[in-house]
Amino acid sequence: MNTQTAPSLTALALAVAVGALGCPAFMPPCDTPDACGPRVLATGTVPNDVQLGRCGDAEVAIVPASFDARVDAIALEPSRGGEVLGSVFLGVGTNPWSVAGSADRLWVTLWSTGEVALINTCTGEDAGRLDISEVVEVSPPVTLRSPIDADGDGATESEVTRMTLRSPQAVVARGDEAWVGFTNLLEASASASEPPRLGPGVVARLAIEGGAPVLRELVTVPCSNPQGLALSDDALWVSCSGPIGPDSAGRQGAHLDGALISLDPNTLEVQHHIDMARFAPATPALAGDTIVVGSLVTSRVALLSVTASSLEDAHVVTLPGAEVDSVFEVAVRGTRVDAPVFSRDRLFSFDLDEPPATVSESNGRLIGAGGDPPRGLLALDRPPGFSVSGLALLTLSAEVVVLNEIDQP
Amino acid sequence: MALSLASLLACALAAQTTVSARGADDEARTSLPDSAALADPSSGLAALPGVTLLHDGAPLSPTRVTVRGASGARMSASFAGLALSDPLDGLLDVEALPWTAVQLAAVDAGARALRFEPDARTSVLHARVLAGALSTLRIGALAATPTAHGHALVAAEAGTTRGDFLFAVPSPVAGEAPTLLVRENDDHRRASATAVLREAFGDVTVVAAALAAHHAGGVPGFATHPTDALRREDLTGMARAHVAYTAAALAPFVEGALRGSQRATSKDGAVARDTVTARSARAAAGLSASTGDLHVVLDAHAESARAQVPGRTTPERRVVGGHTEGSLTLPFGLTVDASTDADVVSDAGPLFSGRLRLSAGDTVQGAIAFARAARPPTLDELYAPRGFVLGNPALEPEVLSDVEGTLSVRLGAVLRARAALWAGRIDETILYLNRNAFEIAPENTGGAWRAGAEGALCISPAAALTLDTTIALLASRLDATDAALPLTPAFTAFTSLRVGPQDGGHLVARVTSRAASSATLFGTLVVPGYTLIDLIGLYPLSPHLALGVSVRNAFDVLDARDQNGLPLPGRLLFVSLEVTG
């Protein structure tokens, strides 16, 4: 019997008591968001994104559970105990990935089927699917280890010169429109000598017509593996990481240079190109004329002007993290940047006007129960106008943590 | 029925297969009536306290076993002395066994060894054909006979199922109807054969056994995240021979065993490109001696295991070591059993394991046992990188230590009861963790503990009425996450009620229950528990022909899932014919 048993059992007993009786007398009542400390909500299996939203008067966490093939709206109100107010089952094997829009008009990328869904999470209505079966050129051709029917003509091929769009991932929305990035993964990495095979990055502009989603524009972008999108009034920023896989030493990294590319949101014409080398940029955030973007393969955040030409023009902030680590999504509110580090379960914050070169471990706010192994801090949503200051997603433990300003470091 | 064990077991009167819950009390046993009349006879293993089964899908699909929360490399499994667990990853698929030939299943003290035994002491020819739901067909035949100075057995079995079944996904929204889905890519084909011989040639005794098994089928994947068109094929063969010279006071023996397996996966009908082969060989020599109340066995052994993954690492392991075991009967009915194992493993260093058991009593028997087992990381855990799952050559061996106390009562054929309390510690617990967002690898995560209580009760007031029930409670905690071990329900129960004589027409109702369990290391993603009821009826049409009808999951519970989160089929109806000569 180990020495941690007694405190563990005490904690368990306390948890049971709190669960059964509400907050102990020495805590404030559980009718305010800050009562009983940070709240943790259980999600479905393999949650991949999180977004704050509203169903009527109720604030909800919108979470796509990839392996359960559904999107849930989970009540944030403490008295409702994580009740799921609405849910849309998107079909076996759809693998919902990212969400954007409002809870009652939500765009969802379906990674495995290549579709984009438009749903009302609050009522459970599946308003429609958009199967973008456009065929794009693959140049130069991509050679696969195992043949697949990449272009949908019924025949399999090992050398891919044309392909139908697949693996939609990032999505952003505004009004009746949405923009979706297709990573076009053809074959996953099997080992250090077999990096992933990808088709060209593609971005599509979608709209709602007669209540159903329709395709407006489509463009092949001059970069590979579009991982994230960010929208400003006059630009759609596309973040391309390049193919991610193990190098000859087995270390995960980008196999090609990545890029940040701005497109005209309406025409999807390329406006500007920033070379990101092997930084492997993740989902970007915009703060005025500054782009803030984390790395998929290191615990770093790059700050760049929208007019920068390459990573060399960036201020790079190094955060505590593992040798291979990820900052999938940053949030900017005012001049404050919050950056979640995947393997640390910590949110590191710094001021955009005085960005440091490095951030110490002690400057991080632990999200969730913490400990080793990590719970996988994947996504963050901190929009203004809600009673809570944001939501953070722990993907490995399938939990959403409700953030409150009172908890800031 | 063909293979009656009535003379052996109070509550297994003429049962087709018998399960023995062997803890500190080696004699405590529980019957498993009539599972052979089901398409998945391994389901009867749930009658063992603390045993749960994890199915990939329909009957005939790969089925794993957990005992007291331990599975895979944390436990060993054998059939007629043949080591069943895969040398690559320690996994055991119990559906690969030729169940027509399995007579006994037992769990050792500390719950780390699952043992299956044939019983060939009765001369019998036996054949069974089962057909029913999901286009399932299972055929088995057995020939067993006593020989001049021993016995021999051969058995073969084959089965096929279309496998696809309906299941329900409950809505997370309170009050909303569940979604009904079809579990696809769940077809399976199986074939297995075994031969067992025990014969004495003068002063030389030979025990030999061989087993071959083949399985091909779909890999359906997670319930709502299936792996379309992913196929898997497994081929396994093993053989063992044990030769002893019994005339001398110190009886020398030699033993040899070979095992080979091939595992191939393919997708969309493509030629299999992920093929893993593994083979192992073991040789041992030793002495055994029995004098009065003392019995001692000493052996030295060497073992080699090698796995091959085309284009990747080719791990190899060599083991040399020694084994001792002995038992001594002392005054006042006290018996002491002890065993030790000392091995040097080429990629894990020296390992020491041992067990000590003290027991006393007859009608009322009490026992206490201590066990320690050090297991090397499997070849798969150490070396096998494949995609995003990596090996970890820096892994340290994992050590399991347990203490167990049991009390059992036996009143002839009328009542048998057994209670056990146990607690165990796992050090250097090996678990698969995310190394980062892209890779998973096994790591030593520190300690974990498990503790439990088990009860078994078998009442047979008349030949035509038997109630057999087992209940297990299990608490566990991983130091690293302060959560319960994943896939480990806190409560499991199995109850079987037979009405009617076992040798005549009878009905069996059995109830399998388990509590909710967590599917992650953090105690999150709870898989709800279930209660399922099976009905089995057997009616002898003639002295040599019996008709069986079985209903699995009689109340058509469509949302039941095993701890692994994979759905179980709803109501399944099967009909079987048994011919005994």
Side-chain angles (χ1 to χ4, degrees):
Chain A
M1 201 66 70
N2 69 85
T3 54
Q4 294 179 24
T5 302
S8 300
L9 289 175
T10 305
L12 181 64
L14 184 61
V16 169
V18 170
L21 306 173
C23 288
F26 54 84
M27 289 185 180
C30 291
D31 55 2
T32 65
D34 298 333
C36 297
R39 277 176 292 123
V40 178
L41 309 173
T43 76
T45 314
V46 190
N48 214 39
D49 196 4
V50 67
Q51 183 177 304
L52 261 168
R54 284 191 181 84
C55 285
D57 294 334
E59 292 182 348
V60 294
I62 303 165
V63 183
S66 263
F67 269 36
D68 291 334
R70 65 172 208 250
V71 178
D72 297 333
I74 307 168
L76 297 184
E77 190 182 338
S79 62
R80 302 186 87 151
E83 178 187 356
V84 177
L85 301 182
S87 179
V88 179
F89 180 69
L90 292 151
V92 169
T94 48
N95 204 191
W97 194 276
S98 297
V99 295
S102 57
D104 58 355
R105 197 165 57 174
L106 191 75
W107 299 87
V108 188
T109 50
L110 304 180
W111 198 88
S112 290
T113 57
E115 301 167 302
V116 181
L118 183 65
I119 64 173
N120 184 332
T121 324
C122 304
T123 62
E125 181 195 2
D126 189 347
R129 303 293 171 87
L130 184 60
D131 181 5
I132 305 172
S133 53
E134 304 284 323
V135 175
V136 296
E137 301 296 320
V138 180
S139 179
V142 173
T143 303
L144 306 178
R145 294 179 294 275
S146 298
I148 62 170
D149 179 12
D151 55 9
D153 66 355
T156 59
E157 51 267 341
S158 294
E159 185 168 279
V160 178
T161 57
R162 290 155 43 86
M163 66 179 295
T164 52
L165 297 182
R166 52 173 60 204
S167 49
Q169 195 164 306
V171 59
V172 290
R174 181 167 58 200
D176 281 350
E177 290 189 309
W179 291 260
V180 174
F182 289 82
T183 56
N184 288 326
L185 177 66
L186 289 164
E187 196 169 63
S189 170
S191 69
S193 59
E194 299 170 317
R197 267 71 161 178
L198 291 141
V202 169
V203 173
R205 182 167 70 89
L206 315 179
I208 301 173
E209 198 171 276
V214 294
L215 174 66
R216 287 280 190 247
E217 302 286 342
L218 191 74
V219 67
T220 297
V221 292
C223 58
S224 171
N225 207 8
Q227 286 285 315
L229 302 172
L231 191 62
S232 69
D233 290 342
D234 55 2
L236 174 71
W237 283 91
V238 184
S239 170
C240 292
S241 65
I244 304 293
D247 62 16
S248 58
R251 187 180 188 279
Q252 293 286 335
H255 284 252
L256 293 173
D257 285 355
L260 288 167
I261 292 172
S262 80
L263 307 178
D264 180 297
N266 295 315
T267 64
L268 301 186
E269 288 177 359
V270 175
Q271 297 174 325
H272 188 63
H273 183 289
I274 303 174
D275 178 7
M276 292 299 286
R278 303 299 168 98
F279 184 82
T283 300
L286 298 170
D289 289 337
T290 302
I291 306 169
V292 186
V293 64
S295 167
L296 289 174
V297 292
T298 56
S299 56
R300 294 186 297 164
V301 175
L303 313 177
L304 303 106
S305 162
V306 293
T307 59
S309 60
S310 75
L311 183 64
E312 292 178 1
D313 301 328
H315 177 90
V316 176
V317 180
T318 301
L319 309 172
E323 183 186 6
V324 174
D325 218 323
S326 305
V327 181
F328 283 99
E329 196 171 341
V330 293
V332 182
R333 206 190 253 192
T335 62
R336 176 175 142 170
V337 176
D338 290 314
V341 176
F342 183 85
S343 71
R344 284 289 193 271
D345 290 352
R346 284 179 185 273
L347 204 55
F348 294 95
S349 304
F350 57 85
D351 194 312
L352 196 56
D353 290 339
E354 297 179 31
T358 60
V359 175
S360 68
E361 186 91 38
S362 61
N363 193 32
R365 172 193 170 189
L366 183 65
I367 302 297
D372 191 19
R375 294 175 178 236
L377 184 52
L378 179 76
L380 187 62
D381 194 37
R382 302 201 63 198
F386 287 86
S387 67
V388 300
S389 71
L391 300 174
L393 177 67
L394 297 162
T395 186
L396 301 180
S397 58
E399 296 169 305
V400 166
V401 179
V402 182
L403 305 176
N404 297 304
E405 293 300 343
I406 196 172
D407 304 320
Q408 299 306 328
Chain B
M1 298 293 291
L3 298 172
S4 171
L5 291 178
S7 60
L8 282 177
L9 307 166
C11 280
L13 296 174
Q16 190 70 22
T17 302
T18 299
V19 173
S20 164
R22 223 179 67 159
D25 174 7
D26 278 351
E27 296 303 315
R29 294 180 174 185
T30 306
S31 70
L32 170 61
D34 305 303
S35 284
L38 295 166
D40 54 341
S42 65
S43 62
L45 289 173
L48 282 165
V51 168
T52 57
L53 298 167
L54 290 89
H55 302 85
D56 279 6
L60 298 171
S61 68
T63 303
R64 318 290 177 202
V65 182
T66 70
V67 185
R68 294 178 176 174
S71 63
R74 294 196 180 106
M75 55 181 285
S76 64
S78 65
F79 169 75
L82 296 161
L84 293 173
S85 301
D86 193 301
L88 180 69
D89 53 20
L91 290 180
L92 166 68
D93 173 12
V94 286
E95 274 298 305
L97 281 169
W99 281 93
T100 311
V102 176
Q103 276 288 348
L104 178 86
V107 177
D108 262 339
R112 287 189 301 271
L114 191 58
R115 184 169 53 89
F116 301 94
E117 293 290 349
D119 189 331
R121 286 169 296 179
T122 311
S123 180
V124 66
L125 283 170
H126 180 71
R128 178 188 302 112
V129 178
L130 177 144
L134 312 181
S135 305
T136 303
L137 178 66
R138 192 160 189 158
I139 301 170
L142 163 74
T145 182
T147 58
H149 303 286
H151 56 255
L153 172 152
V154 292
E157 197 156 315
T160 178
T161 184
R162 176 174 49 80
D164 296 356
F165 61 84
L166 197 68
F167 70 102
V169 179
S171 170
V173 180
E176 275 195 0
T179 304
L180 290 178
L181 301 172
V182 176
R183 182 81 163 143
E184 296 179 326
N185 190 31
D186 195 25
D187 59 300
H188 299 278
R189 287 178 289 119
R190 287 190 180 273
S192 59
T194 188
V196 179
L197 170 71
R198 180 183 179 92
E199 186 62 77
F201 303 95
D203 294 325
V204 176
T205 301
V206 176
V207 180
L211 170 66
H214 174 263
H215 165 249
V219 182
F222 193 71
T224 45
H225 187 68
T227 47
D228 294 335
L230 183 63
R231 313 289 297 173
R232 174 169 168 164
E233 185 166 7
D234 299 272
L235 184 60
T236 304
M238 60 193 82
R240 168 184 177 261
H242 178 101
V243 180
Y245 180 71
T246 55
L250 284 174
F253 65 85
V254 293
E255 186 176 309
L258 294 171
R259 189 186 198 286
S261 65
Q262 178 172 298
R263 182 187 307 172
T265 55
S266 61
K267 197 164 189 311
D268 297 319
V271 175
R273 50 177 289 269
D274 288 323
T275 300
V276 179
T277 57
R279 58 181 186 270
S280 64
R282 185 178 192 276
L287 296 167
S288 70
S290 291
T291 169
D293 295 324
L294 178 66
H295 172 71
V296 176
V297 177
L298 305 168
D299 88 21
H301 56 260
E303 191 172 338
S304 172
R306 181 183 176 90
Q308 191 156 16
V309 185
R312 301 179 205 169
T313 317
T314 301
E316 186 168 4
R317 164 173 291 168
R318 290 170 301 284
V319 181
V320 293
H323 168 79
T324 67
E325 65 177 66
S327 62
L328 178 64
T329 303
L330 300 172
F332 310 110
L334 187 66
T335 301
V336 179
D337 296 294
S339 67
T340 65
D341 288 276
D343 288 325
V344 177
V345 183
S346 59
D347 49 7
L351 301 175
F352 302 97
S353 301
R355 175 174 176 253
L356 175 67
R357 172 178 170 268
L358 303 161
S359 62
D362 184 18
T363 301
V364 177
Q365 188 181 66
I368 186 165
F370 305 90
R372 178 190 194 273
R375 71 136 182 127
T378 65
L379 294 176
D380 198 51
E381 289 167 338
L382 286 170
Y383 306 115
R386 53 189 187 287
F388 64 91
V389 181
L390 306 181
N392 179 2
L395 282 178
E396 296 289 328
E398 185 180 82
V399 179
L400 295 91
S401 308
D402 297 277
V403 58
E404 180 181 47
T406 59
L407 185 67
S408 63
V409 179
R410 176 179 299 196
L411 295 177
V414 176
L415 182 142
R416 196 181 72 248
R418 177 177 179 271
L421 285 172
W422 64 277
R425 173 84 186 160
I426 307 176
D427 291 305
E428 299 295 345
T429 313
I430 297 174
L431 296 169
Y432 277 86
L433 307 179
N434 268 73
R435 189 168 277 182
N436 50 58
F438 308 97
E439 296 165 323
I440 295 172
E443 302 283 352
N444 292 109
T445 59
W449 62 263
R450 301 173 296 152
E454 293 159 0
L457 175 66
C458 183
I459 305 172
S460 188
L465 185 64
T466 300
L467 175 71
D468 196 349
T469 185
T470 62
I471 292 174
L473 303 172
L474 195 159
S476 63
R477 189 68 45 182
L478 277 169
D479 290 353
T481 60
D482 213 22
L485 282 166
L487 313 183
T488 306
F491 167 81
T492 54
F494 180 93
T495 299
S496 164
L497 175 67
R498 176 173 56 79
V499 179
Q502 185 75 49
D503 291 332
H506 64 266
L507 272 174
V508 175
R510 65 179 206 183
V511 183
T512 309
S513 299
R514 71 160 183 81
S517 61
S518 158
T520 73
L521 297 172
F522 309 100
T524 52
L525 280 178
V526 173
V527 181
Y530 61 67
T531 296
L532 301 178
I533 296 177
D534 304 326
L535 300 172
I536 302 164
L538 242 74
Y539 183 73
L541 300 173
S542 76
H544 299 292
L545 184 65
L547 171 69
V549 177
S550 65
V551 186
R552 193 93 157 89
N553 189 359
F555 287 90
D556 203 23
V557 178
L558 291 177
D559 59 358
R561 297 190 182 205
D562 274 338
Q563 303 95 289
N564 52 15
L566 302 183
L568 297 171
R571 184 188 301 120
L572 303 177
L573 175 68
F574 300 102
V575 177
S576 62
L577 275 177
E578 296 185 39
V579 182
T580 306

